[in-house]
Amino acid sequence: MTSMTQQIQRTLQKTTNPIPDFTMGPQRQQLAPAVHSGVAPIKTLSSGVVRMACGHHAVPHIHEYAEITVLVVSGMVASLAGDQLEETFLHAPGSIMYIGPGVPHIGVNLAPDAEATVFEVRTDRAFNDDVVRLPELDAIAAARVDQLQRDFALGMLTDQLDAPTASTALW
């Protein structure tokens, strides 16, 4: 009779690397891909840090095939999503948002005087290989961002940014 708790010999693969310097991604966000196929034999997930300067916003884009989960670490952030960026999601620190593949979106730092940082996990094993810019939405994005940042400055979003939220945007 064989033991039900047989030991299997295997070797743990491990890496420990410093978080890399931030570089500008095609969606106009400062990205620091941390765990991805370039540093470990990643099969399906990657993760990294996104930093948004004071009042900064990304440009409209999609991730063609990746699912994304975003955790707001610091700052007051908004996401605009939808074919015309018509849906607004507000995120206080601790908020989590899932964005499905192919959903047009942008991230917005609402604060004119504080940096925002988010942590992202993606099903793009290289972290940022499937970004497709949507320049036809640039004017809509600029107008929506201006209005959101004005509303934030006037205190009109305070109640909605009182506590962390969990949101989803998917087709």
PDB file of all heavy atoms in Angstrom, residues 134-148:
ATOM      1  N   LEU A 134      -7.253  54.885 -28.336  1.00  0.00           N
ATOM      2  CA  LEU A 134      -8.505  55.289 -28.969  1.00  0.00           C
ATOM      3  C   LEU A 134      -8.533  56.814 -29.102  1.00  0.00           C
ATOM      4  O   LEU A 134      -9.265  57.509 -28.386  1.00  0.00           O
ATOM      5  CB  LEU A 134      -9.694  54.797 -28.133  1.00  0.00           C
ATOM      6  CG  LEU A 134      -9.771  53.283 -27.894  1.00  0.00           C
ATOM      7  CD1 LEU A 134     -10.871  52.948 -26.898  1.00  0.00           C
ATOM      8  CD2 LEU A 134      -9.963  52.540 -29.207  1.00  0.00           C
ATOM      9  N   PRO A 135      -7.742  57.377 -30.017  1.00  0.00           N
ATOM     10  CA  PRO A 135      -7.643  58.840 -30.119  1.00  0.00           C
ATOM     11  C   PRO A 135      -8.962  59.523 -30.481  1.00  0.00           C
ATOM     12  O   PRO A 135      -9.149  60.706 -30.184  1.00  0.00           O
ATOM     13  CB  PRO A 135      -6.583  59.056 -31.209  1.00  0.00           C
ATOM     14  CG  PRO A 135      -6.483  57.772 -31.941  1.00  0.00           C
ATOM     15  CD  PRO A 135      -6.891  56.692 -30.986  1.00  0.00           C
ATOM     16  N   GLU A 136      -9.883  58.779 -31.079  1.00  0.00           N
ATOM     17  CA  GLU A 136     -11.178  59.368 -31.424  1.00  0.00           C
ATOM     18  C   GLU A 136     -11.978  59.763 -30.176  1.00  0.00           C
ATOM     19  O   GLU A 136     -12.962  60.506 -30.269  1.00  0.00           O
ATOM     20  CB  GLU A 136     -12.001  58.418 -32.310  1.00  0.00           C
ATOM     21  CG  GLU A 136     -12.412  57.110 -31.642  1.00  0.00           C
ATOM     22  CD  GLU A 136     -11.370  55.993 -31.688  1.00  0.00           C
ATOM     23  OE1 GLU A 136     -10.191  56.256 -31.990  1.00  0.00           O
ATOM     24  OE2 GLU A 136     -11.757  54.849 -31.389  1.00  0.00           O
ATOM     25  N   LEU A 137     -11.567  59.291 -29.000  1.00  0.00           N
ATOM     26  CA  LEU A 137     -12.242  59.640 -27.746  1.00  0.00           C
ATOM     27  C   LEU A 137     -11.508  60.727 -26.954  1.00  0.00           C
ATOM     28  O   LEU A 137     -11.939  61.095 -25.862  1.00  0.00           O
ATOM     29  CB  LEU A 137     -12.402  58.387 -26.865  1.00  0.00           C
ATOM     30  CG  LEU A 137     -13.300  57.291 -27.415  1.00  0.00           C
ATOM     31  CD1 LEU A 137     -13.319  56.090 -26.468  1.00  0.00           C
ATOM     32  CD2 LEU A 137     -14.709  57.801 -27.663  1.00  0.00           C
ATOM     33  N   ASP A 138     -10.404  61.263 -27.494  1.00  0.00           N
ATOM     34  CA  ASP A 138      -9.606  62.247 -26.753  1.00  0.00           C
ATOM     35  C   ASP A 138     -10.400  63.490 -26.350  1.00  0.00           C
ATOM     36  O   ASP A 138     -10.307  63.945 -25.208  1.00  0.00           O
ATOM     37  CB  ASP A 138      -8.369  62.664 -27.556  1.00  0.00           C
ATOM     38  CG  ASP A 138      -7.291  61.601 -27.580  1.00  0.00           C
ATOM     39  OD1 ASP A 138      -7.400  60.591 -26.848  1.00  0.00           O
ATOM     40  OD2 ASP A 138      -6.312  61.774 -28.342  1.00  0.00           O
ATOM     41  N   ALA A 139     -11.186  64.052 -27.264  1.00  0.00           N
ATOM     42  CA  ALA A 139     -11.938  65.276 -26.950  1.00  0.00           C
ATOM     43  C   ALA A 139     -13.001  65.010 -25.889  1.00  0.00           C
ATOM     44  O   ALA A 139     -13.179  65.810 -24.959  1.00  0.00           O
ATOM     45  CB  ALA A 139     -12.573  65.855 -28.222  1.00  0.00           C
ATOM     46  N   ILE A 140     -13.689  63.877 -26.005  1.00  0.00           N
ATOM     47  CA  ILE A 140     -14.687  63.497 -24.996  1.00  0.00           C
ATOM     48  C   ILE A 140     -14.014  63.330 -23.639  1.00  0.00           C
ATOM     49  O   ILE A 140     -14.504  63.824 -22.626  1.00  0.00           O
ATOM     50  CB  ILE A 140     -15.413  62.196 -25.401  1.00  0.00           C
ATOM     51  CG1 ILE A 140     -16.285  62.438 -26.632  1.00  0.00           C
ATOM     52  CG2 ILE A 140     -16.236  61.630 -24.251  1.00  0.00           C
ATOM     53  CD1 ILE A 140     -16.830  61.178 -27.269  1.00  0.00           C
ATOM     54  N   ALA A 141     -12.866  62.655 -23.634  1.00  0.00           N
ATOM     55  CA  ALA A 141     -12.136  62.431 -22.378  1.00  0.00           C
ATOM     56  C   ALA A 141     -11.727  63.751 -21.746  1.00  0.00           C
ATOM     57  O   ALA A 141     -11.918  63.953 -20.537  1.00  0.00           O
ATOM     58  CB  ALA A 141     -10.912  61.557 -22.637  1.00  0.00           C
ATOM     59  N   ALA A 142     -11.185  64.666 -22.534  1.00  0.00           N
ATOM     60  CA  ALA A 142     -10.736  65.956 -21.993  1.00  0.00           C
ATOM     61  C   ALA A 142     -11.884  66.719 -21.343  1.00  0.00           C
ATOM     62  O   ALA A 142     -11.738  67.263 -20.237  1.00  0.00           O
ATOM     63  CB  ALA A 142     -10.089  66.791 -23.098  1.00  0.00           C
ATOM     64  N   ALA A 143     -13.037  66.745 -22.010  1.00  0.00           N
ATOM     65  CA  ALA A 143     -14.200  67.450 -21.447  1.00  0.00           C
ATOM     66  C   ALA A 143     -14.693  66.780 -20.172  1.00  0.00           C
ATOM     67  O   ALA A 143     -14.995  67.460 -19.176  1.00  0.00           O
ATOM     68  CB  ALA A 143     -15.328  67.513 -22.488  1.00  0.00           C
ATOM     69  N   ARG A 144     -14.771  65.461 -20.167  1.00  0.00           N
ATOM     70  CA  ARG A 144     -15.238  64.733 -18.966  1.00  0.00           C
ATOM     71  C   ARG A 144     -14.272  64.918 -17.801  1.00  0.00           C
ATOM     72  O   ARG A 144     -14.684  65.097 -16.656  1.00  0.00           O
ATOM     73  CB  ARG A 144     -15.385  63.237 -19.266  1.00  0.00           C
ATOM     74  CG  ARG A 144     -16.403  62.832 -20.315  1.00  0.00           C
ATOM     75  CD  ARG A 144     -17.869  62.826 -19.873  1.00  0.00           C
ATOM     76  NE  ARG A 144     -18.144  62.476 -18.515  1.00  0.00           N
ATOM     77  CZ  ARG A 144     -18.207  61.240 -18.008  1.00  0.00           C
ATOM     78  NH1 ARG A 144     -18.011  60.195 -18.777  1.00  0.00           N
ATOM     79  NH2 ARG A 144     -18.483  61.041 -16.740  1.00  0.00           N
ATOM     80  N   VAL A 145     -12.964  64.857 -18.089  1.00  0.00           N
ATOM     81  CA  VAL A 145     -11.954  65.033 -17.042  1.00  0.00           C
ATOM     82  C   VAL A 145     -12.033  66.438 -16.460  1.00  0.00           C
ATOM     83  O   VAL A 145     -12.008  66.609 -15.231  1.00  0.00           O
ATOM     84  CB  VAL A 145     -10.535  64.730 -17.578  1.00  0.00           C
ATOM     85  CG1 VAL A 145      -9.464  65.191 -16.605  1.00  0.00           C
ATOM     86  CG2 VAL A 145     -10.386  63.238 -17.874  1.00  0.00           C
ATOM     87  N   ASP A 146     -12.127  67.461 -17.302  1.00  0.00           N
ATOM     88  CA  ASP A 146     -12.243  68.840 -16.812  1.00  0.00           C
ATOM     89  C   ASP A 146     -13.421  68.986 -15.855  1.00  0.00           C
ATOM     90  O   ASP A 146     -13.295  69.586 -14.784  1.00  0.00           O
ATOM     91  CB  ASP A 146     -12.401  69.826 -17.974  1.00  0.00           C
ATOM     92  CG  ASP A 146     -11.102  70.054 -18.731  1.00  0.00           C
ATOM     93  OD1 ASP A 146     -10.029  69.658 -18.234  1.00  0.00           O
ATOM     94  OD2 ASP A 146     -11.171  70.620 -19.842  1.00  0.00           O
ATOM     95  N   GLN A 147     -14.575  68.432 -16.240  1.00  0.00           N
ATOM     96  CA  GLN A 147     -15.773  68.547 -15.393  1.00  0.00           C
ATOM     97  C   GLN A 147     -15.580  67.796 -14.071  1.00  0.00           C
ATOM     98  O   GLN A 147     -15.913  68.311 -13.004  1.00  0.00           O
ATOM     99  CB  GLN A 147     -17.006  68.017 -16.120  1.00  0.00           C
ATOM    100  CG  GLN A 147     -18.292  68.211 -15.334  1.00  0.00           C
ATOM    101  CD  GLN A 147     -18.601  69.676 -15.092  1.00  0.00           C
ATOM    102  OE1 GLN A 147     -18.653  70.462 -16.046  1.00  0.00           O
ATOM    103  NE2 GLN A 147     -18.796  70.069 -13.844  1.00  0.00           N
ATOM    104  N   LEU A 148     -15.045  66.583 -14.141  1.00  0.00           N
ATOM    105  CA  LEU A 148     -14.818  65.801 -12.915  1.00  0.00           C
ATOM    106  C   LEU A 148     -13.861  66.515 -11.963  1.00  0.00           C
ATOM    107  O   LEU A 148     -14.091  66.558 -10.753  1.00  0.00           O
ATOM    108  CB  LEU A 148     -14.236  64.433 -13.259  1.00  0.00           C
ATOM    109  CG  LEU A 148     -15.190  63.289 -13.465  1.00  0.00           C
ATOM    110  CD1 LEU A 148     -14.430  62.062 -13.960  1.00  0.00           C
ATOM    111  CD2 LEU A 148     -15.946  62.960 -12.200  1.00  0.00           C
TER     112      LEU A 148
END
